[in-house]
Amino acid sequence: MNYTKKILITGGAGFIGSCLVRHLVAKYPNYLIVNADKLTYAGNLANLESIKDASNYRFVKADICDAAAMQQIFTEYSIDHVIHTAAESHVDRSISNPMEFVQTNVVGTVKLLNICKSAWQDDAAHLFYHISTDEVYGSLGETGKFTETTPYDPRSPYSSSKASSDHFVRAYHETYGLPTVISNCSNNYGPFHFPEKLIPLCINNILHEKPLPVYGKGDNIRDWLFVQDHVEAIDLIFHQGKTGSTYNIGGDNEWKNIDLVRALCKIMDRKLGRAIGSSEKLITFVKDRAGHDQRYAIDFTKLNSELGWKPKAQFEEGLEETVQWYLDHQNWVEQVISGEYKKYYEAQYTTR
Ligand code: NAD
Ligand code: DAU
């Protein structure tokens, strides 16, 4: 088969990466999709069950920090495009172990950029697409939104590592002319979300009648976007985005954490046939996250006016669908929360 593009997706066994891989493999049979993932605690091959035998899909277990292994993938598959989603993604883990974030998010990204720079010396079409976060812009007060020109002000080890990798991507574009594009997205939610994150953690704890740990007063605000909407924005930017550009992606959907947790309680009470209000009793205010960013909000005017993207999912429907997915996939949850995650959960919450 003569594939028209040979795309390396890094981190394609994670939450967003696997949604992207499933989407691209199904939608573009003329593209070869090569998924390289280290399979950390957050990477799970069960997320890729639906496409694992597709003829245009390959999986390679590899660490992006292992330059020889990555070079081997480039050579074997003649990779001409990269969508880089691999990262350590959890803010709380970055607070207890920043070095792992420097290693994968910064060093791993620069190693990949080096491979692209030396592999792509011909005149063929190439692109290094870096998937990033709105957290690089820091924390907002009550008003305003992040635009693509908001100065970087990362405040956690996680967001600092992502900001650093964004800077390296831009530097490789400016210095070496590497064709790059970056998008910075707000909080995603949906199926296959690792249960260390707020929404799946609460769904799982409500189901098992365990405390719902809300940091601080629960008044921090996040902008939530359904993961499939993020993936469709990535698809659009990958194909039509301007090289060297940055695009913000958001849901126009701000929620205080406490209101979101209450909304989840209501949905779960109804679905589980429990008395309305019973799950809310599980809400427990715990010690705040160190350096907790107060509010994120995204202005995605550029993506809307240049490429016509806007989110499709209604939040209430997306949340219902997500809750139902977790109820229907308890085997998946049990599998991913066994082992390493159990120890993490105890260390993170038992004495909080
Ligand atoms: P995730 O933690 O669910 O998945 C990360 C994946 O990367 C896992 O499959 C893991 O095995 C893999 N990985 C980690 N280190 C690796 C390494 N050294 N080599 C190869 N693979 C490695 O993350 P996610 O939530 O899906 O986020 C994906 C990307 O999107 C990240 O870059 C993150 O910064 C960004 N992002 C996430 C969100 C969100 O709300 N989750 C929002 C905006 C941006
Ligand atoms: O904004 C995009 C970012 O969103 C991504 O770049 C990150 O990879 C992703 O993890 C996410 O970061 P957050 O820190 O916003 O997500 P998290 O689900 O960890 O937390 C959401 C909010 O809920 C945050 O204000 C902290 C709070 N929280 C979280 C947990 C895990 C709680 O109150 N209790 C909890 O137990």
Side-chain angles (χ1 to χ4, degrees):
M1 169 89 184
N2 260 343
Y3 292 108
T4 52
K5 286 185 176 32
K6 284 146 295 202
I7 309 173
L8 172 67
I9 314 284
T10 66
F15 166 49
I16 295 169
S18 68
C19 188
L20 178 66
V21 167
R22 294 190 303 272
H23 172 86
L24 294 176
V25 165
K27 186 170 170 192
Y28 301 104
N30 52 330
Y31 294 175
L32 178 68
I33 305 297
V34 180
N35 174 8
D37 196 297
K38 184 181 173 185
L39 298 181
T40 67
Y41 78 93
N44 192 342
L45 288 179
N47 301 3
L48 298 152
E49 198 56 32
S50 62
I51 50 94
K52 73 177 192 323
D53 297 323
S55 58
N56 63 333
Y57 174 67
R58 309 281 183 279
F59 176 77
V60 186
K61 183 175 187 299
D63 184 341
I64 56 163
C65 299
D66 181 346
M70 299 312 290
Q71 182 60 60
Q72 162 71 23
I73 294 170
F74 267 68
T75 310
E76 182 171 349
Y77 297 107
S78 305
I79 296 297
D80 46 32
H81 293 70
V82 173
I83 307 180
H84 178 37
T85 83
E88 286 294 335
S89 69
H90 197 46
V91 175
D92 292 320
R93 287 182 191 255
S94 82
I95 294 167
S96 37
N97 187 6
M99 278 316 289
E100 223 167 312
F101 286 69
V102 175
Q103 194 54 28
T104 286
N105 299 1
V106 185
V107 177
T109 300
V110 178
K111 286 189 176 188
L112 258 184
L113 288 165
N114 277 336
I115 292 173
C116 295
K117 176 164 83 74
S118 62
W120 297 345
Q121 302 277 344
D122 54 4
D123 291 334
H126 298 294
L127 184 67
F128 184 95
Y129 183 170
H130 183 56
I131 304 302
S132 194
T133 171
D134 60 355
E135 299 198 11
V136 298
Y137 299 119
S139 179
L140 289 165
E142 278 174 21
T143 58
K145 291 188 174 190
F146 300 132
T147 73
E148 289 80 0
T149 55
T150 300
Y152 274 33
D153 183 22
R155 294 152 39 98
S156 74
Y158 163 70
S159 53
S160 302
S161 69
K162 292 296 291 186
S164 172
S165 61
D166 289 8
H167 289 320
F168 272 104
V169 173
R170 289 197 185 95
Y172 271 61
H173 176 68
E174 296 299 333
T175 310
Y176 308 110
L178 193 75
T180 60
V181 72
I182 301 177
S183 56
N184 297 81
C185 187
S186 59
N187 286 60
N188 286 212
Y189 72 98
F192 299 104
H193 205 181
F194 194 85
E196 67 191 347
K197 307 290 202 282
L198 180 68
I199 289 180
L201 184 145
C202 285
I203 295 173
N204 197 42
N205 285 14
I206 294 169
L207 183 62
H208 297 288
E209 297 179 90
K210 284 168 61 179
L212 306 177
V214 174
Y215 297 165
K217 296 190 189 114
D219 59 2
N220 303 71
I221 293 174
R222 295 292 179 267
D223 169 49
W224 293 95
L225 178 71
F226 196 56
V227 64
Q228 183 64 30
D229 275 325
H230 185 190
V231 159
E232 284 173 22
I234 295 172
D235 182 344
L236 202 58
I237 293 166
F238 176 75
H239 287 97
Q240 296 176 39
K242 207 169 136 237
T243 303
S245 246
T246 294
Y247 295 90
N248 278 355
I249 309 172
D252 214 0
N253 179 38
E254 291 180 47
W255 282 73
K256 262 189 197 164
N257 291 339
I258 186 65
D259 294 338
L260 174 55
V261 173
R262 288 199 176 112
L264 283 169
C265 288
K266 281 203 185 76
I267 298 174
M268 290 288 282
D269 281 345
R270 177 164 38 77
K271 284 198 183 280
L272 297 172
R274 291 181 185 162
I276 296 300
S278 57
S279 295
E280 280 199 21
K281 295 192 186 114
L282 299 169
I283 292 175
T284 312
F285 292 94
V286 299
K287 187 168 164 245
D288 208 351
R289 173 183 279 174
H292 197 172
D293 287 340
Q294 182 57 34
R295 173 173 166 258
Y296 305 143
I298 278 272
D299 180 341
F300 57 87
T301 307
K302 179 178 174 186
L303 181 57
N304 179 255
S305 56
E306 273 188 27
L307 304 183
W309 179 89
K310 61 176 185 210
K312 288 184 194 144
Q314 294 300 314
F315 191 52
E316 285 70 14
E317 287 162 21
L319 261 194
E320 284 267 346
E321 186 182 328
T322 303
V323 168
Q324 193 57 51
W325 187 89
Y326 280 89
L327 295 178
D328 293 343
H329 292 80
Q330 277 302 297
N331 286 348
W332 181 91
V333 177
E334 290 309 320
Q335 189 206 324
V336 304
I337 68 176
S338 61
E340 189 272 354
Y341 182 66
K342 267 202 175 120
K343 286 192 212 128
Y344 165 81
Y345 193 90
E346 277 158 25
Q348 185 71 18
Y349 294 103
T350 309
T351 57
R352 191 160 190 137

